[in-house]
Amino acid sequence: MLRRKPLKSGKALMRKSPFVNTANFAIAKRRIGMKRRIKKPTVKQGSMYLAACRDEPCYLRVPGICIGSETVVPCHSNQAKHGKGMGIKAQHKYTVPGCRACHAWIDQGKTLRENKFGAWDRAYARWEPARARKMTLEDNDAFGGPDSE
């Protein structure tokens, strides 16, 4: 490569470089994105919903599938409206206590999706008020509320 002009000094070259402004713009854009990020629930908040499922009977109660309350686990919703996506579980507040067999039926069963969603929605409608009462009692016990003695 043949140079027609001698190189300029480094400082003048840096000021006129289009990449300097692009880098500053990219940093500013990243910072703006960080400020607008939605706060996700903490691990403690999510684990409260999962802990509420302990020592509960199976709420799914799928006829011909349910084995009772021997192996109850939190069953997350499989519906996109609850935050479920490809490789992403639904939020922890959308869990229902269910036995191992009902949980497998909800996740891997060969039934129509509408039937599974209907069973999960009915179980959630029964579980939500019970969970609210249970979590309120646990909060009162933990913080020395009126019921803790």
Side-chain angles (χ1 to χ4, degrees):
M1 184 167 109
L2 180 66
R3 295 209 182 270
R4 305 251 181 234
K5 295 181 185 177
L7 287 173
K8 294 182 180 179
S9 68
K11 291 181 183 176
L13 192 61
M14 287 289 288
R15 270 186 259 133
K16 293 180 182 178
S17 171
F19 297 108
V20 174
N21 293 336
T22 306
N24 291 339
F25 178 73
I27 292 169
K29 188 175 177 183
R30 207 173 333 142
R31 286 185 182 153
I32 289 171
M34 283 193 273
K35 290 178 186 175
R36 294 181 184 169
R37 191 178 311 158
I38 297 171
K39 286 190 174 182
K40 294 182 179 178
T42 62
V43 173
K44 182 180 178 185
Q45 292 168 335
S47 64
M48 288 180 354
Y49 290 106
L50 300 179
C53 292
R54 278 191 212 116
D55 302 327
E56 291 291 329
C58 177
Y59 273 74
L60 291 170
R61 300 181 197 149
V62 180
I65 304 286
C66 189
I67 58 173
S69 58
E70 295 172 8
T71 58
V72 172
V73 293
C75 304
H76 289 79
S77 171
N78 289 337
Q79 300 176 40
K81 68 181 180 182
H82 297 142
K84 170 74 170 118
M86 185 65 129
I88 300 172
K89 276 187 179 179
Q91 298 173 10
H92 289 315
K93 68 181 178 181
Y94 297 111
T95 56
V96 171
C99 69
R100 178 183 45 83
C102 290
H103 190 200
W105 180 82
I106 287 283
D107 285 344
Q108 292 108 15
K110 303 244 187 277
T111 309
L112 291 175
R113 184 177 283 180
E114 291 80 22
N115 294 343
K116 294 178 186 181
F117 287 176
W120 192 91
D121 288 338
R122 286 188 299 276
Y124 188 72
R126 287 191 307 268
W127 168 239
E128 194 172 22
R131 181 190 64 201
R133 281 192 306 274
K134 186 174 183 178
M135 289 178 74
T136 304
L137 290 175
E138 288 174 359
D139 287 344
N140 285 338
D141 290 343
F143 297 112
D147 296 337
S148 65
E149 287 189 33

Tab-separated table of all heavy atoms in Angstrom, residues 29-56:
chain	number	residue	atom	x	y	z
A	29	LYS	N	-26.802	3.449	25.514
A	29	LYS	CA	-27.988	2.649	25.210
A	29	LYS	C	-28.117	1.485	26.184
A	29	LYS	O	-29.207	1.155	26.646
A	29	LYS	CB	-27.884	2.132	23.783
A	29	LYS	CG	-29.130	1.458	23.279
A	29	LYS	CD	-28.968	1.085	21.826
A	29	LYS	CE	-30.186	0.336	21.338
A	29	LYS	NZ	-30.033	-0.091	19.953
A	30	ARG	N	-26.998	0.855	26.525
A	30	ARG	CA	-27.010	-0.255	27.472
A	30	ARG	C	-27.466	0.222	28.851
A	30	ARG	O	-28.225	-0.445	29.537
A	30	ARG	CB	-25.615	-0.866	27.552
A	30	ARG	CG	-25.618	-2.300	27.929
A	30	ARG	CD	-24.267	-2.957	27.847
A	30	ARG	NE	-23.369	-2.343	26.892
A	30	ARG	CZ	-22.069	-2.183	27.079
A	30	ARG	NH1	-21.500	-2.599	28.176
A	30	ARG	NH2	-21.312	-1.625	26.166
A	31	ARG	N	-26.993	1.388	29.266
A	31	ARG	CA	-27.386	1.919	30.581
A	31	ARG	C	-28.872	2.241	30.624
A	31	ARG	O	-29.531	2.019	31.627
A	31	ARG	CB	-26.561	3.158	30.913
A	31	ARG	CG	-25.151	2.823	31.281
A	31	ARG	CD	-24.395	4.040	31.709
A	31	ARG	NE	-23.024	3.674	32.012
A	31	ARG	CZ	-22.010	4.489	31.929
A	31	ARG	NH1	-22.188	5.743	31.559
A	31	ARG	NH2	-20.804	4.085	32.221
A	32	ILE	N	-29.397	2.775	29.554
A	32	ILE	CA	-30.831	3.078	29.503
A	32	ILE	C	-31.625	1.784	29.631
A	32	ILE	O	-32.613	1.711	30.345
A	32	ILE	CB	-31.184	3.809	28.194
A	32	ILE	CG1	-30.620	5.225	28.228
A	32	ILE	CG2	-32.696	3.845	27.996
A	32	ILE	CD1	-30.715	5.949	26.902
A	33	GLY	N	-31.182	0.741	28.944
A	33	GLY	CA	-31.855	-0.553	29.025
A	33	GLY	C	-31.820	-1.123	30.421
A	33	GLY	O	-32.757	-1.754	30.876
A	34	MET	N	-30.737	-0.893	31.149
A	34	MET	CA	-30.639	-1.418	32.505
A	34	MET	C	-31.620	-0.721	33.435
A	34	MET	O	-32.183	-1.336	34.312
A	34	MET	CB	-29.212	-1.242	33.038
A	34	MET	CG	-28.248	-2.255	32.474
A	34	MET	SD	-26.714	-2.263	33.367
A	34	MET	CE	-25.823	-1.000	32.498
A	35	LYS	N	-31.844	0.555	33.246
A	35	LYS	CA	-32.754	1.297	34.119
A	35	LYS	C	-34.190	0.848	33.931
A	35	LYS	O	-34.964	0.848	34.862
A	35	LYS	CB	-32.645	2.796	33.832
A	35	LYS	CG	-31.343	3.393	34.272
A	35	LYS	CD	-31.286	4.853	33.923
A	35	LYS	CE	-29.922	5.428	34.226
A	35	LYS	NZ	-29.823	6.816	33.784
A	36	ARG	N	-34.546	0.461	32.717
A	36	ARG	CA	-35.933	0.118	32.416
A	36	ARG	C	-36.264	-1.344	32.673
A	36	ARG	O	-37.378	-1.765	32.446
A	36	ARG	CB	-36.232	0.445	30.963
A	36	ARG	CG	-36.183	1.918	30.683
A	36	ARG	CD	-36.515	2.201	29.263
A	36	ARG	NE	-36.359	3.619	28.996
A	36	ARG	CZ	-36.379	4.164	27.812
A	36	ARG	NH1	-36.550	3.396	26.757
A	36	ARG	NH2	-36.230	5.448	27.648
A	37	ARG	N	-35.293	-2.110	33.111
A	37	ARG	CA	-35.514	-3.534	33.321
A	37	ARG	C	-36.565	-3.759	34.415
A	37	ARG	O	-36.556	-3.116	35.454
A	37	ARG	CB	-34.207	-4.199	33.733
A	37	ARG	CG	-34.288	-5.691	33.722
A	37	ARG	CD	-32.981	-6.319	34.074
A	37	ARG	NE	-31.885	-5.743	33.318
A	37	ARG	CZ	-30.626	-5.788	33.680
A	37	ARG	NH1	-30.288	-6.376	34.786
A	37	ARG	NH2	-29.692	-5.242	32.939
A	38	ILE	N	-37.454	-4.698	34.187
A	38	ILE	CA	-38.490	-5.030	35.161
A	38	ILE	C	-37.860	-5.871	36.261
A	38	ILE	O	-37.108	-6.802	35.984
A	38	ILE	CB	-39.637	-5.804	34.487
A	38	ILE	CG1	-40.304	-4.918	33.437
A	38	ILE	CG2	-40.658	-6.275	35.511
A	38	ILE	CD1	-41.288	-5.659	32.569
A	39	LYS	N	-38.177	-5.536	37.492
A	39	LYS	CA	-37.627	-6.303	38.602
A	39	LYS	C	-38.277	-7.673	38.651
A	39	LYS	O	-39.496	-7.799	38.626
A	39	LYS	CB	-37.869	-5.580	39.928
A	39	LYS	CG	-36.992	-4.396	40.121
A	39	LYS	CD	-37.105	-3.876	41.532
A	39	LYS	CE	-36.108	-2.782	41.774
A	39	LYS	NZ	-36.167	-2.311	43.143
A	40	LYS	N	-37.426	-8.697	38.722
A	40	LYS	CA	-37.915	-10.062	38.827
A	40	LYS	C	-38.022	-10.427	40.298
A	40	LYS	O	-37.304	-9.875	41.124
A	40	LYS	CB	-36.950	-11.017	38.129
A	40	LYS	CG	-36.893	-10.815	36.639
A	40	LYS	CD	-35.967	-11.806	36.004
A	40	LYS	CE	-35.938	-11.615	34.504
A	40	LYS	NZ	-35.019	-12.535	33.857
A	41	PRO	N	-38.912	-11.354	40.639
A	41	PRO	CA	-39.001	-11.753	42.045
A	41	PRO	C	-37.704	-12.412	42.505
A	41	PRO	O	-37.031	-13.092	41.739
A	41	PRO	CB	-40.158	-12.749	42.075
A	41	PRO	CG	-40.416	-13.111	40.676
A	41	PRO	CD	-39.851	-12.056	39.795
A	42	THR	N	-37.377	-12.180	43.762
A	42	THR	CA	-36.157	-12.754	44.303
A	42	THR	C	-36.354	-14.241	44.563
A	42	THR	O	-37.471	-14.759	44.505
A	42	THR	CB	-35.778	-12.063	45.628
A	42	THR	OG1	-36.824	-12.299	46.576
A	42	THR	CG2	-35.585	-10.580	45.436
A	43	VAL	N	-35.270	-14.911	44.855
A	43	VAL	CA	-35.333	-16.348	45.147
A	43	VAL	C	-36.200	-16.585	46.380
A	43	VAL	O	-36.995	-17.519	46.428
A	43	VAL	CB	-33.914	-16.907	45.349
A	43	VAL	CG1	-33.963	-18.340	45.829
A	43	VAL	CG2	-33.114	-16.788	44.075
A	44	LYS	N	-36.088	-15.700	47.363
A	44	LYS	CA	-36.871	-15.862	48.587
A	44	LYS	C	-38.365	-15.764	48.302
A	44	LYS	O	-39.160	-16.555	48.802
A	44	LYS	CB	-36.457	-14.797	49.601
A	44	LYS	CG	-37.179	-14.924	50.922
A	44	LYS	CD	-36.738	-13.865	51.899
A	44	LYS	CE	-37.518	-13.986	53.198
A	44	LYS	NZ	-37.206	-12.910	54.128
A	45	GLN	N	-38.754	-14.781	47.475
A	45	GLN	CA	-40.171	-14.631	47.155
A	45	GLN	C	-40.698	-15.837	46.381
A	45	GLN	O	-41.793	-16.310	46.631
A	45	GLN	CB	-40.384	-13.359	46.334
A	45	GLN	CG	-40.138	-12.091	47.116
A	45	GLN	CD	-40.069	-10.864	46.223
A	45	GLN	OE1	-39.748	-10.962	45.045
A	45	GLN	NE2	-40.353	-9.713	46.790
A	46	GLY	N	-39.915	-16.343	45.450
A	46	GLY	CA	-40.339	-17.505	44.672
A	46	GLY	C	-40.413	-18.763	45.517
A	46	GLY	O	-41.312	-19.582	45.357
A	47	SER	N	-39.460	-18.908	46.444
A	47	SER	CA	-39.452	-20.124	47.260
A	47	SER	C	-40.606	-20.149	48.254
A	47	SER	O	-40.989	-21.219	48.718
A	47	SER	CB	-38.117	-20.270	47.987
A	47	SER	OG	-37.934	-19.213	48.896
A	48	MET	N	-41.186	-18.995	48.576
A	48	MET	CA	-42.358	-18.967	49.467
A	48	MET	C	-43.528	-19.703	48.814
A	48	MET	O	-44.255	-20.439	49.474
A	48	MET	CB	-42.760	-17.525	49.791
A	48	MET	CG	-41.798	-16.832	50.709
A	48	MET	SD	-42.192	-15.116	51.155
A	48	MET	CE	-43.585	-14.657	50.214
A	49	TYR	N	-43.705	-19.506	47.511
A	49	TYR	CA	-44.806	-20.170	46.808
A	49	TYR	C	-44.565	-21.678	46.733
A	49	TYR	O	-45.492	-22.466	46.858
A	49	TYR	CB	-44.956	-19.604	45.391
A	49	TYR	CG	-45.469	-18.185	45.370
A	49	TYR	CD1	-44.623	-17.126	45.076
A	49	TYR	CD2	-46.797	-17.911	45.644
A	49	TYR	CE1	-45.091	-15.827	45.053
A	49	TYR	CE2	-47.283	-16.620	45.622
A	49	TYR	CZ	-46.428	-15.580	45.328
A	49	TYR	OH	-46.891	-14.291	45.314
A	50	LEU	N	-43.311	-22.071	46.516
A	50	LEU	CA	-42.993	-23.488	46.446
A	50	LEU	C	-43.123	-24.145	47.814
A	50	LEU	O	-43.594	-25.271	47.936
A	50	LEU	CB	-41.580	-23.693	45.891
A	50	LEU	CG	-41.338	-23.139	44.489
A	50	LEU	CD1	-39.897	-23.384	44.080
A	50	LEU	CD2	-42.290	-23.737	43.491
A	51	ALA	N	-42.712	-23.433	48.867
A	51	ALA	CA	-42.808	-23.971	50.222
A	51	ALA	C	-44.264	-24.134	50.651
A	51	ALA	O	-44.584	-25.019	51.455
A	51	ALA	CB	-42.070	-23.071	51.200
A	52	ALA	N	-45.149	-23.304	50.125
A	52	ALA	CA	-46.570	-23.408	50.484
A	52	ALA	C	-47.168	-24.732	49.997
A	52	ALA	O	-48.147	-25.218	50.570
A	52	ALA	CB	-47.349	-22.236	49.900
A	53	CYS	N	-46.561	-25.351	48.995
A	53	CYS	CA	-47.076	-26.617	48.455
A	53	CYS	C	-46.725	-27.816	49.344
A	53	CYS	O	-47.323	-28.881	49.189
A	53	CYS	CB	-46.530	-26.859	47.054
A	53	CYS	SG	-47.161	-25.695	45.836
A	54	ARG	N	-45.776	-27.644	50.258
A	54	ARG	CA	-45.373	-28.767	51.118
A	54	ARG	C	-46.502	-29.188	52.045
A	54	ARG	O	-47.259	-28.356	52.540
A	54	ARG	CB	-44.163	-28.370	51.962
A	54	ARG	CG	-42.887	-28.510	51.216
A	54	ARG	CD	-41.691	-28.367	52.131
A	54	ARG	NE	-40.636	-27.757	51.339
A	54	ARG	CZ	-40.098	-26.576	51.546
A	54	ARG	NH1	-40.458	-25.859	52.583
A	54	ARG	NH2	-39.180	-26.116	50.742
A	55	ASP	N	-46.576	-30.464	52.308
A	55	ASP	CA	-47.556	-31.048	53.238
A	55	ASP	C	-49.001	-30.773	52.827
A	55	ASP	O	-49.871	-30.622	53.684
A	55	ASP	CB	-47.310	-30.538	54.668
A	55	ASP	CG	-45.912	-30.851	55.154
A	55	ASP	OD1	-45.381	-31.906	54.760
A	55	ASP	OD2	-45.355	-30.032	55.917
A	56	GLU	N	-49.242	-30.667	51.539
A	56	GLU	CA	-50.601	-30.449	51.034
A	56	GLU	C	-51.042	-31.681	50.243
A	56	GLU	O	-50.214	-32.427	49.730
A	56	GLU	CB	-50.637	-29.226	50.108
A	56	GLU	CG	-50.424	-27.908	50.823
A	56	GLU	CD	-51.575	-27.518	51.722
A	56	GLU	OE1	-52.730	-27.882	51.415
A	56	GLU	OE2	-51.320	-26.859	52.735
